[in-house]
Amino acid sequence: MPFTALGLHPALVRAVKALGYTEPSPVQAGAVPPALAGRDVLATAPTGTGKTAGFLLPILHHLLAGPRGGVRALVLSPTRELAEQIEAVARDLARFTELRATLVVGGKSIGPQEKALRAGPDLVVATPGRLLDLMRQGAARLDRVAALVLDEADRMLDMGFLPDVKRIVSKLTAREQTFLFSATLPPVIAGLADDLLRTPATVQIGRRTAAAVGITQAAYPVPAHLKTALLRHLLRATEMPSVLVFTRTKHEAKKLAKVVAADGFAVGELHSNRSPAQRTKAMDGFRRGAFQVLVATNIAARGLDVDHVTHVVSTDVPDVPEDYVHRVGRTGRAGATGDAFVLVSPAEEPSLGRIERQLGQRLPRVTLPDFDYHQQPAGRTAITERKRPGAPKKLRPPAAQPPRPPRPRRR
Ligand code: AMP
């Protein structure tokens, strides 16, 4: 189905073409027609499926049809980075129109955001906390908002934003259409959907917690104290043009970035100890290819949209399977392929087991024939073992397994 078949405003079809999209992705094909007809939409879709344009296209279409004046559409996002990306997509899609979008996010000075809001943009993309601040100051008038989007609703829940979201929603007295997008649908989010949506069109792309397609996943068993060494080895031995490395804590991210930089890699750092300017610089550098490696924590990398991520390496096993799915979804975006590796210590095997049960597949275990699993840690150990109840005090190297060489790159 071509984009022209959706019945979108010609300025939007032109923008979509200019972005190089040839046909709607499945989530767009599922969400756009009912949304254009005015229906609410409940979408569960893996990351990287084109969901942002899935809600922005019908919203911009309706904004173009209605009279200008005041904020008429609001997108709420859990993180600043995701909000920035949504606003960038909105600008791209609205480039052949007069519509204006504004970003309202924490961590940046409030003055310019207040001024932009008072000017009455058509669309606001916001994180909940900052928007509430501006609403309390009387700078954000939302009584004309007809369309509301809650993006990554499950993450809003994880981050404790639901009370703020509900407070904001209660002020949207002119709300006519609501979109709820979530990677997963835990009971609380299903309940929220029940409260907010009227007979929504439902779009479900893939399994509820399946990792995005096009991704090859593997687990690398390794004693916790050798994870840093194994990561350095992998970076040297495998061709990884653009790799996103996840750590459990911001301190590990910082230390690991130093270690990897000392090995001669161009590295960016993305975690909450970095200033907004430093975070933007890290994201932009990674996006442009100036940084081959981006070391990040979960929250900082949420929603990160970089087309060319070829590898995602998790240096810890997340306790929550959805977090693993989200990390993995940073590669293989928009139908591309990618590799996702997870370094797993013996104490983390139960967590990996939970993830595997949720994925419905067992990840292949890979040991590297040319890596010394019995070595003492060299000086540079950035990744440390988390204290887990019942974790063995002394960690043994993984049981002997038939060595497998690193897989050759497919591209
Ligand atoms: P999203 O899931 O919204 O974060 O989008 C993931 C990626 O898919 C982004 O890089 C988009 O630019 C890209 N994308 C969105 N829609 C399409 C489409 N119809 N065809 C090709 N790429 C798309």
Side-chain angles (χ1 to χ4, degrees):
M1 181 185 21
F3 268 103
T4 41
L6 293 176
L8 287 164
H9 190 286
L12 299 176
V13 177
R14 203 177 145 204
V16 155
K17 280 203 182 128
L19 285 171
Y21 303 173
T22 47
E23 58 176 31
S25 68
V27 69
Q28 292 160 3
V32 174
L36 285 177
R39 287 186 64 189
D40 288 352
V41 174
L42 170 63
T44 43
T47 50
T49 52
K51 65 191 172 72
T52 314
F55 57 75
L56 283 177
L57 283 170
I59 286 178
L60 294 171
H61 177 94
H62 286 142
L63 289 177
L64 283 167
R68 299 280 303 269
V71 181
R72 290 177 293 147
L74 172 65
V75 181
L76 291 178
S77 138
T79 64
R80 175 170 60 218
E81 282 77 12
L82 180 61
E84 284 170 352
Q85 281 168 20
I86 296 168
E87 197 238 6
V89 176
R91 280 176 195 268
D92 278 343
L93 292 175
R95 67 212 277 189
F96 301 117
T97 76
E98 302 277 295
L99 297 174
R100 280 173 306 132
T102 282
L103 192 62
V104 171
V105 291
K108 294 192 169 173
S109 60
I110 200 164
Q113 294 180 10
E114 182 177 349
K115 200 166 155 214
L117 262 183
R118 287 195 193 274
D122 303 280
L123 170 77
V124 170
V125 183
T127 49
R130 175 57 64 89
L131 182 64
L132 266 181
D133 288 345
L134 284 162
M135 285 165 75
R136 286 191 196 108
Q137 292 176 17
R141 288 205 45 197
L142 301 178
D143 53 355
R144 293 205 56 209
V145 169
L148 167 71
V149 180
L150 303 183
D151 195 19
E152 303 218 346
D154 51 353
R155 179 52 49 146
M156 301 245 212
L157 169 72
D158 293 349
M159 293 174 70
F161 283 145
L162 277 203
D164 284 356
V165 168
K166 286 181 181 166
R167 232 166 270 144
I168 293 168
V169 173
S170 71
K171 305 287 182 211
L172 307 181
T173 46
R175 179 169 61 99
E176 286 170 8
Q177 189 176 29
T178 307
F179 298 76
L180 195 150
F181 278 69
S182 198
T184 57
L185 211 55
V188 178
I189 297 301
L192 183 72
D194 267 352
D195 289 345
L196 292 184
L197 308 177
R198 273 163 310 173
T199 52
T202 53
V203 182
Q204 191 175 332
I205 305 295
R207 294 170 33 147
R208 277 200 322 157
T209 53
V213 288
I215 298 168
T216 308
Q217 302 173 64
Y220 286 72
V222 61
H225 68 277
L226 293 182
K227 279 189 173 185
T228 306
L230 183 66
L231 177 74
R232 295 173 66 202
H233 183 95
L234 275 170
L235 284 171
R236 276 196 303 268
T238 317
E239 193 199 325
M240 297 194 188
S242 180
V243 52
L244 181 56
V245 177
F246 282 101
T247 61
R248 186 168 52 85
T249 68
K250 53 195 174 192
H251 304 292
E252 282 176 7
K254 193 173 166 190
K255 277 199 269 175
L256 197 58
K258 268 207 188 108
V259 170
V260 173
D263 282 347
F265 292 92
V267 188
E269 258 178 74
L270 195 67
H271 53 79
S272 56
N273 265 7
R274 307 288 277 172
S275 69
Q278 288 173 320
R279 286 160 76 162
T280 305
K281 201 171 149 218
M283 292 254 289
D284 288 350
F286 189 54
R287 208 173 263 134
R288 281 187 286 107
F291 296 134
Q292 181 183 349
V293 183
L294 184 66
V295 184
T297 53
N298 258 355
I299 286 179
R302 179 78 185 183
L304 178 80
D305 177 18
V306 179
D307 282 340
H308 58 265
V309 178
T310 58
H311 291 76
V312 169
V313 181
S314 291
T315 61
D316 69 310
V317 180
D319 283 331
V320 181
E322 279 78 10
D323 283 341
Y324 172 82
V325 173
H326 282 295
R327 287 183 180 185
V328 167
R330 300 302 110 206
T331 187
R333 293 179 73 71
T337 56
D339 290 346
F341 303 152
V342 54
L343 312 191
V344 48
S345 71
E348 290 172 318
E349 279 288 349
S351 298
L352 187 61
R354 273 196 297 281
I355 291 170
E356 292 176 321
R357 277 193 293 284
Q358 189 120 6
L359 293 173
Q361 71 177 96
R362 182 173 158 79
L363 303 189
R365 303 300 196 264
V366 179
T367 47
L368 300 177
D370 49 351
F371 181 76
D372 178 4
Y373 286 90
H374 300 277
Q375 65 183 286
Q376 290 306 307
R380 301 174 181 282
T381 298
I383 307 158
T384 48
E385 178 74 328
R386 164 195 219 160
K387 289 195 182 55
R388 287 165 195 263
K393 287 213 174 59
K394 256 194 165 171
L395 301 171
R396 284 191 302 277
Q401 297 181 35
R404 276 177 45 178
R407 286 177 312 101
R409 303 254 348 122
R410 291 182 310 284
R411 270 161 296 160

